[in-house]
Amino acid sequence: MKELSKYKMGEFWNKLLSAVAMAIVVAVTPGAIISPFITGLAKHSAFWETILNASNLSMYIVPVAAGVLAAGEFGFNRIEKASVALASLVGSGAVAFDKGSWVLVGMGDLINTILVIAVAIVAVFLTRDFVGSFSIIIEPILCGTIVGSLGLWSYTYVHMISTGVGSVLNAITKLQPILMCTLIAMAFAVIIATPLSTVSLAYAIGISGIAGGAASVGVTSCFMIVAIATFKANGKGVSLAMFWGGVKMMLANFVEHPRMFIPIAIVGAITGFIDSFLNIQNGSAEAGFGQPVGPIDSFQYMSGNTGTNILILLLIHYILPILISLVVYWIIRKFPKLYNSNDWKVDIDK
C-alpha cells in the first residue's frame, strides 16, 4: 500500500496513459504504413497476402502490450507484468466467445482496457506484501480471473459510451463539416502538444471518416508550425525532429509558456477549415497519428485519379500547413506578449 501511495493521482494516470499510447503506436504502425501499399498485391499473391496478414495482425497485441508496458512503468516484476497483461486482454473485449470458439475481434475498447489495467495495478500493489512466494499462483488468478471478469462485465457499458461519443462526433461532422473539421483539427493540434495521446483519444472514441481526417490534419499542422518556430532557436536537427512528430520533446516548454498554444491552435483551425472542403478521411486507428501515417491511410479511402489524390494529400498534409505556419509565424512574431523566441528553445541535455 505504501508503494501505491507514493504516486499522486496525476502521476499514476500519466504513467498508465503513456504506456497505453506507446502500445497503440507500436501495434498499429505496421498495418497503418505497410497495408495500403500491398493490399492490392495481396489479392493476387500468397506471398504478399502473408506480409499483409502479418502487418495487420500486429494490432491485436494492443491489450497485452498495454498491460505489460503499464506494469513496467511501476517497476513490476515479470509475474506481475504478465498478470496485468492477462487482466488487460480478458477485459479489453478484444477476444470474444462465439459459438464455442474464441475469436479475435480487434483491439477491444481502449477506455475499458485502461480502466481494467488501472484496477489490476492497484490490486497488485494492495496484495503483493501478503502473497510472498505464492505470487505466481495468486496474482494471475487475481488479475486474469477476478479483475478480468470485472472488465468483461463493464465492457458492454463502457463500450456503449465510448462508441456513442465517436458516433455523435462522426455524425455531426458529416452534417456540419466546415465547423466540425475546423474544431477537431484545432483540438487535435493542441492535444498532440500536451501529455495526452491523440492516437489513444482518436481510437478510444472511435473518431473516423471525415472527422478522423480532420484529426490527422490537425496533428500534422502542429508538427509544421512547431518545426518552423523552433528552427531559429534550435537549428535544423531539432526542427526536423518536430517535423516528423517529435513535438512532445517540448512538453516542458508548453507547460511553462501556454501562449505557445496560440499559433498551434490557429494553424490547426485554418488547416482544418480547408480540409473540410477536401473530405480527407482516416480510420480511427490512424486518425491521431498525423503525417506520414495519416496521408498513407487516407489514400485508400480516395477514388479517382491516383496522381490527383497524391497531390491533394501533399497539399493538405504538407504544402498548406507549411505555408499557413510560415504566415502565422511571421504574424505572431510581431506581438512580443504572445511570442518569444526563447520559448521555443529546446534543452536537449535535460
Side-chain angles (χ1 to χ4, degrees):
M1 184 65 180
K2 289 183 179 180
E3 293 180 344
L4 176 61
S5 62
K6 73 179 183 181
Y7 296 103
K8 296 180 179 179
M9 185 67 71
E11 183 183 6
F12 177 89
W13 285 106
N14 186 50
K15 284 179 174 290
L16 176 54
L17 294 175
S18 296
V20 174
M22 182 57 66
I24 294 174
V25 171
V26 170
V28 170
T29 297
I33 294 181
I34 301 299
S35 295
F37 291 109
I38 64 173
T39 299
L41 296 173
K43 296 177 181 179
H44 308 286
S45 168
F47 172 81
W48 289 110
E49 183 180 16
T50 300
I51 300 297
L52 179 64
N53 291 337
S55 299
N56 290 334
L57 188 60
S58 301
M59 65 179 286
Y60 293 103
I61 200 64
V62 167
V64 176
V68 171
L69 292 177
E73 288 286 322
F74 295 93
F76 282 14
N77 61 38
R78 288 177 293 178
I79 295 173
E80 293 167 340
K81 288 179 182 177
S83 299
V84 173
L86 280 175
S88 180
L89 177 63
V90 174
S92 66
V95 184
F97 190 72
D98 182 42
K99 298 178 181 179
S101 300
W102 289 100
V103 181
L104 288 171
V105 294
M107 287 188 277
D109 186 277
L110 186 59
I111 296 177
N112 200 59
T113 301
I114 292 171
L115 294 175
V116 169
I117 292 174
V119 173
I121 289 173
V122 171
V124 170
F125 270 126
L126 294 177
T127 59
R128 67 179 356 172
D129 292 336
F130 305 102
V131 297
S133 60
F134 289 97
S135 63
I136 195 170
I137 298 174
I138 296 176
E139 287 178 353
I141 294 175
L142 173 64
C143 293
T145 302
I146 299 176
V147 177
S149 295
L150 291 174
L152 287 174
W153 288 326
S154 65
Y155 171 80
T156 301
Y157 307 103
V158 174
H159 188 60
M160 187 184 304
I161 295 172
S162 58
T163 54
V165 171
S167 297
V168 169
L169 280 175
N170 293 333
I172 295 176
T173 304
K174 288 181 180 178
L175 293 173
Q176 297 289 340
I178 296 177
L179 174 62
M180 291 304 297
C181 284
T182 302
L183 294 177
I184 290 173
M186 180 174 66
F188 272 76
V190 172
I191 291 170
I192 189 63
T194 71
L196 297 176
S197 168
T198 52
V199 177
S200 300
L201 177 62
Y203 183 76
I205 62 178
I207 192 171
S208 61
I210 299 173
S216 181
V217 166
V219 172
T220 296
S221 68
C222 178
F223 297 167
M224 302 308 169
I225 179 60
V226 175
I228 289 170
T230 55
F231 181 80
K232 185 176 181 180
N234 301 278
K236 292 183 289 187
V238 171
S239 182
L240 188 62
M242 301 304 166
F243 179 89
W244 291 113
V247 294
K248 290 194 184 294
M249 290 170 56
M250 300 189 66
L251 284 176
N253 301 61
F254 295 134
V255 171
E256 187 175 357
H257 308 290
R259 60 186 173 185
M260 297 170 70
F261 288 115
I262 295 175
I264 292 173
I266 293 173
V267 174
I270 296 174
T271 308
F273 174 78
I274 297 172
D275 173 66
S276 67
F277 299 97
L278 299 176
N279 291 326
I280 301 300
Q281 299 184 55
N282 276 104
S284 58
E286 296 80 22
F289 274 98
Q291 66 88 18
V293 174
I296 292 174
D297 180 63
S298 295
F299 183 78
Q300 65 181 323
Y301 294 99
M302 303 176 78
S303 58
N305 183 271
T306 300
T308 301
N309 292 340
I310 293 175
L311 180 60
I312 291 173
L313 291 174
L314 289 174
L315 186 70
I316 195 61
H317 274 279
Y318 296 96
I319 299 173
L320 286 176
I322 290 174
L323 292 176
I324 295 168
S325 295
L326 286 170
V327 173
V328 170
Y329 175 68
W330 178 78
I331 294 174
I332 204 77
R333 287 185 62 189
K334 297 183 179 295
F335 298 89
K337 291 185 178 180
L338 297 179
Y339 174 84
N340 187 320
S341 59
N342 291 328
D343 295 351
W344 302 88
K345 179 67 177 179
V346 181
D347 187 353
I348 59 177
D349 295 325
K350 284 185 177 181

